Amino acid sequence: MTLEDSLGNLRTRLYWLMGLRVVVVTLLLGLSIAIHTTKGELVNFFYALIAATYAITIGYAAIDRYLESRWALTIFAHVQIGIDLLLETVLVTMTGAVESPFSVLYVITVCLASLVPRHRIGVATGAAAVFLFGAVAGVQLSGVLESLDWLPRTRLSLPETLQIFGVHGLAFVLVGFLSGVLADQLRHADQSLLEKERGLTNLQAFHENIVQSIGSGVFTTDEGGLITSFNRAAQEATGYSFDQVYGRAWGDIFNCQRGGTIEEVWPGGVDRFEVECKRADGSRLVLGITLSALEENGAQTGLVGVFKDLTQIRDMEEEMQRRQWLATLGEMSAGMAHEIRNPLGALVGAMQMLRKDAPTEDTNRQLMDIAIREATRLDAIIKDFLQYARPPALNLRECDLNVLINESVALIQHEARKREGVEIKVSLHAGALVAQVDMDQLKQVFWNLATNAFQAMPHGGQLTVASNRRRIGIGG
């Protein structure tokens, strides 16, 4: 328990002490005033004592505001208990001493003293009450104040007086002891409960941090399938904040029509499925979801779902399938073009043979020339298509990549001079970078990269061309 908590707890106990004092005095003395008034007796002393109690309590409350240390508050509580005992002694003295019906106030004060967080304070207060009550009984028995008509001699005999004193004294001490023990146990129970509550709070925060730190999206629902939690990864994947999804059906968020109540949504066990839905911004979202039952004390209270964003993977798979389809289509087209070239070549050869036998000015010869020329053009088109569909084989040779880069940079710098604000910075590896490459095609790659960079810098910028050596493989 922190010092601030301890001071707050002690201050609260003092407020209870002040409040209970006012309530007890008001009830007991008020009842006495009512009884004496019906008998026609004056009770000015009771009025004065009630007024004094209220005034003292107001003073206590004013002083309490300026006490900031535990030691000062504890002393202040002891002072209040001491003043209470003195006022009770005066009241008991004025109402018959040993025969006073207000001796019960000692018991109440002893009980209230246990509110002060100090060991055995109840027993000490009980002992003080025994001493004061004994002093009043002794003075009454001796008759010292009888001549003043302030404390008349008791009508009880000495044994009866001692019996009453013994019973009251034993009651004061026992009540002090028992109230102190109970107060200590209560304080220990409060301390233990506070520590357990803090431990539970820390455990809950720890579990919350774990859930929030998980890379997969996690959500939970109640029995009706309404979302009750949504971790950070789930918010990042879907684009929804927790406030936007709280209390909504999980099927609406993930575009999954599986009913509303938990019986409709979940028959039991573990369910794994894939669903396509929309992010908060409307973009496509593909999720792999695993659902399982959320149980508490053996009863199913909701659902817990864990999901992964599969959008990029599915997009790549679809792109691969599209490329594979295009590759297959290209192979088929190349095969068809190749098959067309064979009869086309035979047709051109036949037309050339017929052209030799036709007269120079013959119209048929002119038509044959047109047919041969168009057939040759069609063959060229098919040849170009085959070169595009079937790239030529690589011409691999061993060379220094830095040399190729320098040759390409010379062409790139010439192109950069035509563009305003473009600067080229070259940073090449100190040693030779020897590799087997197709020099012409690699130069074309460098040129294409530079052209793309220029297009990305319409208002100028710096293009950095660098080379380095990197080891790739296990342990690299």
Side-chain angles (χ1 to χ4, degrees):
M1 181 181 297
T2 63
L3 179 59
E4 184 177 355
D5 293 337
S6 178
L7 289 176
N9 187 26
L10 180 55
R11 199 179 299 275
T12 301
R13 291 174 182 271
L14 287 178
Y15 289 150
W16 273 99
L17 181 61
M18 297 177 194
L20 290 175
R21 178 189 302 112
V22 171
V23 171
V24 170
V25 169
T26 302
L27 290 177
L28 289 180
L29 296 186
L31 181 60
S32 298
I33 291 173
I35 294 174
H36 285 77
T37 302
T38 58
K39 297 179 180 180
E41 299 176 359
L42 296 177
V43 288
N44 294 333
F45 175 71
F46 291 159
Y47 285 119
L49 193 57
I50 292 176
T53 302
Y54 287 171
I56 290 174
T57 302
I58 294 173
Y60 288 161
I63 295 173
D64 181 77
R65 298 175 55 187
Y66 298 97
L67 302 178
E68 299 295 339
S69 67
R70 180 182 177 84
W71 178 84
L73 288 173
T74 302
I75 296 299
F76 185 51
H78 292 165
V79 170
Q80 291 188 44
I81 294 171
I83 294 175
D84 289 345
L85 290 175
L86 293 177
L87 291 176
E88 290 163 2
T89 302
V90 173
L91 178 61
V92 168
T93 302
M94 297 296 295
T95 56
V98 175
E99 303 176 38
S100 174
F102 294 103
S103 58
V104 69
L105 289 175
Y106 285 122
V107 177
I108 297 175
T109 301
V110 171
C111 292
L112 294 180
S114 300
L115 292 174
V116 181
R118 282 296 180 94
H119 298 293
R120 300 182 180 86
I121 188 63
V123 176
T125 305
V130 172
F131 172 78
L132 292 174
F133 187 70
V136 172
V139 171
Q140 188 179 32
L141 282 174
S142 65
V144 174
L145 301 179
E146 184 177 4
S147 60
L148 300 178
D149 198 20
W150 192 61
L151 184 61
R153 185 184 298 272
T154 180
R155 295 169 298 177
L156 302 175
S157 63
L158 178 60
E160 291 175 336
T161 302
L162 293 177
Q163 181 183 10
I164 293 176
F165 170 73
V167 171
H168 281 72
L170 182 61
F172 297 159
V173 174
L174 286 178
V175 169
F177 174 76
L178 293 177
S179 61
V181 171
L182 292 176
D184 286 341
Q185 290 182 352
L186 181 60
R187 281 192 290 270
H188 290 320
D190 289 342
Q191 183 79 12
S192 178
L193 182 61
L194 181 60
E195 292 177 356
K196 290 181 179 179
E197 183 178 356
R198 288 181 176 176
L200 179 60
T201 301
N202 294 335
L203 184 61
Q204 290 175 340
F206 179 68
H207 288 171
E208 180 69 18
N209 291 335
I210 291 177
V211 173
Q212 293 296 335
S213 301
I214 293 176
S216 301
V218 179
F219 68 93
T220 59
T221 73
D222 58 13
E223 295 181 356
L226 304 181
I227 293 179
T228 57
S229 68
F230 211 64
N231 76 336
R232 188 181 300 111
Q235 298 177 40
E236 293 175 354
T238 62
Y240 291 105
S241 65
F242 175 69
D243 293 335
Q244 291 176 310
V245 301
Y246 179 74
R248 294 178 58 184
W250 72 275
D252 295 342
I253 302 298
F254 298 104
N255 191 28
C256 184
Q257 304 302 324
R258 287 176 173 253
T261 64
I262 194 169
E263 291 79 8
E264 296 172 329
V265 173
W266 188 242
V270 178
D271 190 14
R272 296 180 177 87
F273 57 93
E274 189 172 307
V275 65
E276 181 173 339
C277 54
K278 298 289 186 181
R279 288 187 175 90
D281 58 4
S283 59
R284 178 174 180 246
L285 179 63
V286 181
L287 299 176
I289 300 179
T290 301
L291 277 182
S292 57
L294 183 63
E295 296 184 353
E296 183 176 352
N297 297 326
Q300 187 170 336
T301 59
L303 299 174
V304 57
V306 181
F307 63 86
K308 274 285 191 181
D309 187 355
L310 305 179
T311 307
Q312 186 175 6
I313 296 176
R314 295 296 174 262
D315 289 344
M316 292 176 61
E317 290 178 349
E318 293 175 1
E319 179 66 19
M320 290 292 293
Q321 292 176 356
R322 188 179 70 85
R323 291 187 179 185
Q324 186 177 3
W325 179 79
L326 291 176
T328 303
L329 183 61
E331 292 178 359
M332 292 177 59
S333 300
M336 292 177 61
H338 183 73
E339 294 299 327
I340 291 174
R341 289 189 70 189
N342 291 334
L344 186 62
L347 182 61
V348 171
M351 295 293 291
Q352 289 176 346
M353 294 297 295
L354 292 175
R355 180 178 177 278
K356 291 180 181 180
D357 298 332
T360 304
E361 303 297 331
D362 190 358
T363 303
N364 290 333
R365 179 171 181 153
Q366 295 177 358
L367 295 175
M368 291 178 187
D369 289 340
I370 294 173
I372 292 172
R373 185 172 62 253
E374 293 301 320
T376 303
R377 189 170 68 86
L378 181 59
D379 181 71
I381 293 174
I382 294 175
K383 182 178 180 182
D384 292 340
F385 174 77
L386 289 175
Q387 288 180 348
Y388 176 79
R390 294 177 180 176
L394 295 176
N395 182 20
L396 297 178
R397 287 190 300 169
E398 191 175 272
C399 65
D400 187 355
L401 296 182
N402 286 337
V403 175
L404 289 181
I405 294 175
N406 283 325
E407 294 176 357
S408 301
V409 168
L411 298 175
I412 295 171
Q413 287 177 337
H414 178 72
E415 178 66 20
R417 295 189 187 99
K418 302 178 183 179
R419 301 176 183 270
E420 184 177 355
V422 176
E423 178 185 357
I424 298 178
K425 179 181 179 181
V426 182
S427 177
L428 302 181
H429 187 265
L433 300 176
V434 180
Q436 286 192 345
V437 297
D438 188 316
M439 298 177 60
D440 294 333
Q441 293 197 32
L442 194 57
K443 285 182 180 180
Q444 186 64 42
V445 170
F446 294 154
W447 175 259
N448 292 339
L449 290 175
T451 303
N452 292 339
F454 292 153
Q455 293 175 354
M457 298 186 295
H459 304 294
Q462 178 177 288
L463 172 62
T464 301
V465 181
S467 66
N468 205 343
R469 185 186 299 275
R470 180 181 178 185
R471 182 182 300 277
I472 300 177
I474 299 176

